[in-house]
Amino acid sequence: MCEKTNKTGVALIDSRPLTRISISHLLTSFSDDFVILSYPDIDEFVAEYVDCPYKLEAILINAGVTRVSEDHISNGIQRLKHKHPNLPLVLLSDRDELVDILDAIQIGVRGYISSTFSPAKIIHSLQLVISGGTFIPSKALLEIIEKTAKPIAEERPNGGKIDPAALQTFTSRQMEVFELLRQGKSNKFIAYELGMQECTVKVHVREIMAKLKATNRTHAAFIASQISDLEH
């Protein structure tokens, strides 16, 4: 049943009762800010959402070991995008291969969460997507950068390079700040998006600048902007 509440609502679609119940319990018990509405399949979610007075903020699909490229997963995602274009889709998966992550992003998934993540990290990833961001595991981001660093460097007028080894020294928080910096967001915006103090953001930006060997914030933003846009 749907209830009116001020909490963040997330629809969880998972065909397996045990994992569906377990994930719902873990997330709601770990954070008082979330309410998880569970559905065994897309059909039931679509049918119940029509008359639901409760405002959902995202849809979380647990794909398990199934590849996103398989028809019933990709077709289901396309159907949800058509029915609810304003609800961001997040995939929870047992697979962490780069090809699977890129397939998911390309068909419109806004978040790709590994089933190895802790409940806290899953919640934080959902919050990032709900706030308008895109989330992929940092391991995948580093792999993409390693594959694209050389051609990107060759195309840059100033010949600058992003050192993948430097990115490996980033904390998870610095990676989040770096992603928003890459999008050209201001310190104030980053602070709002990540629920931080602006002075804390400035500390992270300074540390990012040092690790990237950037001369100033503008230079750091320029270096970050050269990374291939993961949202497309």
Side-chain angles (χ1 to χ4, degrees):
M1 294 294 292
C2 298
E3 299 177 359
K4 292 183 178 180
T5 175
N6 293 324
K7 295 184 178 182
T8 300
V10 175
L12 169 64
I13 300 176
D14 187 342
S15 62
R16 298 164 296 176
L18 182 59
T19 54
R20 187 170 68 246
I21 294 170
S22 298
I23 293 170
S24 178
H25 175 73
L26 272 175
L27 297 184
T28 53
S29 63
F30 197 86
S31 173
D32 293 333
D33 296 329
F34 275 78
V35 169
I36 309 297
L37 302 179
S38 301
Y39 303 90
D41 52 51
I42 292 173
D43 288 336
E44 184 167 323
F45 166 72
V46 172
E48 291 194 10
Y49 187 82
V50 173
D51 299 318
C52 182
Y54 181 72
K55 186 177 185 297
L56 293 176
E57 300 291 344
I59 301 173
L60 177 62
I61 305 168
N62 186 11
V65 297
T66 307
R67 289 186 179 275
V68 70
S69 57
E70 294 192 20
D71 287 344
H72 72 285
I73 295 292
S74 59
N75 291 342
I77 290 172
Q78 294 293 347
R79 182 184 176 194
L80 288 171
K81 284 181 60 183
H82 176 73
K83 288 282 188 180
H84 305 286
N86 296 323
L87 282 178
L89 302 178
V90 181
L91 200 70
L92 180 63
S93 177
D94 296 345
R95 311 185 68 90
D96 61 0
E97 291 86 351
L98 182 59
V99 63
D100 294 304
I101 296 172
L102 293 179
D103 282 345
I105 297 298
Q106 287 171 356
I107 65 174
V109 170
R110 286 267 303 281
Y112 194 100
I113 300 175
S114 170
S115 59
T116 62
F117 284 5
S118 67
K121 193 168 184 179
I122 291 175
I123 289 170
H124 191 72
S125 303
L126 287 170
Q127 288 172 331
L128 179 63
V129 171
I130 290 170
S131 68
T134 298
F135 180 85
I136 67 169
S138 57
K139 175 185 174 183
L141 177 59
L142 292 172
E143 190 172 345
I144 291 170
I145 292 170
E146 288 173 356
K147 291 179 182 297
T148 59
K150 183 176 180 180
I152 288 174
E154 291 173 351
E155 293 174 2
R156 286 183 194 158
N158 68 349
K161 295 181 180 180
I162 294 175
D163 183 6
L167 292 176
Q168 292 175 9
T169 67
F170 284 10
T171 65
S172 59
R173 203 56 157 168
Q174 287 171 354
M175 288 300 296
E176 292 164 357
V177 173
F178 180 76
E179 167 61 17
L180 293 173
L181 186 67
R182 183 186 68 80
Q183 298 174 26
K185 305 301 184 183
S186 66
N187 287 346
K188 185 176 181 179
F189 182 91
I190 294 173
Y192 175 80
E193 287 290 295
L194 300 181
M196 302 163 58
Q197 296 293 324
E198 190 171 351
C199 60
T200 305
V201 173
K202 291 179 180 178
V203 171
H204 285 308
V205 171
R206 283 199 298 269
E207 291 175 349
I208 289 170
M209 286 168 48
K211 291 177 179 180
L212 293 178
K213 298 181 180 179
T215 55
N216 52 45
R217 188 187 188 283
T218 302
H219 187 201
F222 172 78
I223 293 173
S225 71
Q226 304 307 301
I227 298 176
S228 180
D229 193 345
L230 299 179
E231 297 179 358
H232 299 283

